[in-house]
Amino acid sequence: MIIKTAIFKGSSTKVEQKPAFKAPEYAFIGRSNVGKSSLINMLCGRKDLAKTSSMPGKTILVNHFLINDRWYLVDLPGYGFAKASKKAQATLKAMIEDYISHSEELAMLFILLDSRHPLMEIDRSFISAVAGADIPFTIVLTKCDKLSKTALDSSMKAIRAEIDPIKAGTDIIPTSSDKRSGKDELIAVIEDNMKSINNQHK
């Protein structure tokens, strides 16, 4: 699949505010400052599709981008932004939970983890909740170009050891927005999932 068009279709705080046009949704989420916006821009071949910032917590709404008029890329707010007020944290948490729990079009979650750091408790609890709700998910490691091959292999092995007890066989995809690596693998996961959805509807 080649991403030819990526069109912003709107922001929302509640699932009923999503765009009226229904299509499979592939949502990206991770801790604040994990490199989500850069990854989305790299995936779509655009520099400014998702707003990037050195300040964590830039995404505060659920953003829908229609890709190739066939599916949505959904940019979710980051979780675990400790510098936000408790009220703001609660608002974002409720927004994320509302979308993940109630969006009937959600086909898969891509959960982003910084390859340079071990899993935090907030990552484990989020991944466990997603697995417990039986929502399909893929783990995406970001900023992999910052590590040597040996360090990256070690990081992937350590993360695999943590993820497998939660959901064995989960895909873990290493990426680098700067090096544009992992793009084909991510698109292949989406493409395979869409084929599976289409086959179910036949």
Side-chain angles (χ1 to χ4, degrees):
M1 180 200 308
I2 297 173
I3 293 181
K4 296 178 179 178
T5 58
I7 302 167
F8 175 66
K9 285 295 183 178
S11 300
S12 61
T13 59
K14 296 180 180 179
V15 76
E16 57 263 30
Q17 298 169 342
K18 292 194 316 176
F21 176 71
K22 304 302 181 187
E25 296 173 357
Y26 297 88
F28 288 70
I29 191 169
R31 282 203 314 272
S32 295
N33 220 25
V34 75
K36 176 167 56 69
S37 295
S38 296
L39 182 77
I40 288 172
N41 290 336
M42 182 270 283
L43 193 62
C44 296
R46 297 271 294 275
K47 290 183 178 180
D48 57 353
L49 192 69
K51 304 301 182 187
T52 59
S53 173
S54 59
M55 288 293 291
K58 185 75 173 176
T59 306
I60 56 172
L61 297 167
V62 176
N63 298 311
H64 276 71
F65 301 92
L66 184 60
I67 309 298
N68 293 350
D69 292 323
R70 292 181 59 212
W71 55 276
Y72 285 107
L73 187 157
V74 182
D75 183 6
L76 293 172
Y79 58 79
F81 182 30
K83 290 184 180 179
S85 68
K86 288 187 176 180
K87 182 179 179 181
Q89 288 184 56
T91 298
L92 290 176
K93 185 172 184 286
M95 194 187 308
I96 292 166
E97 288 178 353
D98 176 61
Y99 171 78
I100 292 174
S101 300
H102 299 117
S103 177
E104 295 180 358
E105 287 72 38
L106 176 60
M108 180 172 291
L109 267 178
F110 290 91
I111 302 173
L112 278 57
L113 303 172
D114 190 324
S115 62
R116 301 170 297 176
H117 307 299
L119 257 67
M120 293 176 63
E121 183 54 40
I122 193 168
D123 296 314
R124 289 189 202 92
S125 60
F126 181 78
I127 293 167
S128 295
V130 169
D134 205 26
I135 296 167
F137 69 93
T138 294
I139 299 295
V140 180
L141 300 187
T142 62
K143 308 179 183 183
C144 292
D145 58 301
K146 310 296 184 187
L147 294 175
S148 66
K149 185 180 184 306
T150 301
L152 178 58
D153 288 345
S154 178
S155 175
M156 288 190 67
K157 185 177 180 180
I159 290 171
R160 168 67 67 194
E162 296 229 43
I163 299 297
D164 271 353
I166 300 173
K167 187 175 181 182
T170 298
D171 285 335
I172 299 177
I173 300 176
T175 68
S176 165
S177 298
D178 288 344
K179 301 292 185 183
R180 301 182 63 78
S181 62
K183 178 177 180 177
D184 291 345
E185 290 81 358
L186 285 171
I187 290 178
V189 169
I190 294 171
E191 198 165 27
D192 287 346
N193 185 268
M194 288 187 70
K195 287 178 182 176
S196 176
I197 291 172
N198 289 335
N199 288 336
Q200 289 173 16
H201 291 165
K202 285 182 179 179

